[in-house]
Amino acid sequence: MAWIKTKSYQESTGKLRALYDRVKGPNNNVDNIMMMHSLRPHTMEGHMVLYKNVLHHSANKIPKWFLEVVGVWVSELNECRYCVEHHFEGLRRLINDDEKAMRIRDCLDKRNLHNIPLAKKEICALKYAQSLTEYPGNVKKDEFDSLLKEGFSHGEILEINQVVSYFNYANRTVLGLGCSTD
């Protein structure tokens, strides 16, 4: 599950219980990534707000399925199996085309953007995500300009940037505290 001590749903009280009630699934199941915040519920609250606004806000213009592709790509680059598995399932449901989803997954797993079944515009966004993830200090204006040239608006570039940034945060939380799907 995790290296860090956590409190289960059954052990939770007060603010932690209220937060768990907001994120729990069937049988009071709380995702491990959220449970890792149990010793500091205020960090869970911040994590939840960031996640919801970056990936699921109704004002976003980029389709949710593609934001999930970006998240899976960043998680793959960071070797975060927990987030790859969890968010690939969301991507698969949103695409609603298992064959295409599996082709995307195969290309991401192999780090092969040349054969990925996506538009040139989307591949450009994945290249930006890779650069920002692997070499954040070396991101150049021409990479930003490439996104504009491909037809992304400034607001859409902000959405991509925030998804990349969120997944780098989440991946480091998961990897640094030993979170797993167990």
Side-chain angles (χ1 to χ4, degrees):
M1 162 126 134
W3 302 328
I4 193 167
K5 182 182 182 326
T6 61
K7 292 182 182 178
S8 69
Y9 180 83
Q10 293 74 20
E11 298 171 298
S12 67
T13 59
K15 183 174 186 162
L16 179 60
R17 173 61 67 97
L19 290 170
Y20 275 176
D21 283 338
R22 287 173 47 195
V23 301
K24 71 180 180 178
N27 300 319
N28 296 326
N29 181 51
V30 177
D31 285 342
N32 293 348
I33 192 169
M34 288 297 141
M35 200 176 299
M36 290 190 319
H37 291 280
S38 62
L39 300 178
R40 300 293 185 270
H42 61 279
T43 67
M44 182 192 313
E45 189 169 36
H47 188 144
M48 289 174 7
V49 168
L50 184 61
Y51 170 75
K52 292 289 186 185
N53 283 296
V54 168
L55 271 107
H56 299 291
H57 198 279
S58 62
N60 285 347
K61 302 298 183 208
I62 295 176
K64 288 181 185 180
W65 72 266
F66 185 66
L67 295 178
E68 290 285 4
V69 171
V70 173
V72 171
W73 177 232
V74 169
S75 299
E76 182 66 47
L77 294 169
N78 285 322
E79 300 179 17
C80 183
R81 303 312 321 152
Y82 177 91
C83 291
V84 167
E85 297 306 323
H86 183 77
H87 286 276
F88 175 74
E89 285 308 310
L91 177 165
R92 189 180 57 73
R93 278 190 307 275
L94 289 166
I95 287 180
N96 198 25
D97 179 340
D98 283 349
E99 183 180 328
K100 182 176 181 179
M102 292 310 296
R103 287 179 29 230
I104 290 170
R105 171 73 185 263
D106 185 56
C107 288
L108 296 179
D109 285 347
K110 292 177 180 172
R111 299 184 183 195
N112 177 2
L113 298 182
H114 299 294
N115 295 322
I116 197 164
L118 298 172
K120 182 180 175 194
K121 175 181 183 175
E122 295 159 342
I123 294 168
C124 183
L126 294 179
K127 289 179 180 177
Y128 169 78
Q130 182 170 6
S131 183
L132 185 56
T133 297
E134 293 181 336
Y135 307 104
N138 293 327
V139 176
K140 304 289 185 231
K141 185 175 183 307
D142 64 333
E143 293 172 274
F144 180 90
D145 291 342
S146 292
L147 293 167
L148 289 172
K149 183 179 174 188
E150 288 300 326
F152 287 107
S153 70
H154 284 255
E156 290 169 329
I157 295 169
L158 177 61
E159 289 178 35
I160 295 164
N161 173 277
Q162 291 301 286
V163 169
V164 173
S165 298
Y166 166 75
F167 273 91
N168 276 298
Y169 159 74
N171 295 166
R172 281 153 180 76
T173 299
V174 166
L175 296 168
L177 298 175
C179 183
S180 72
T181 55
D182 297 335

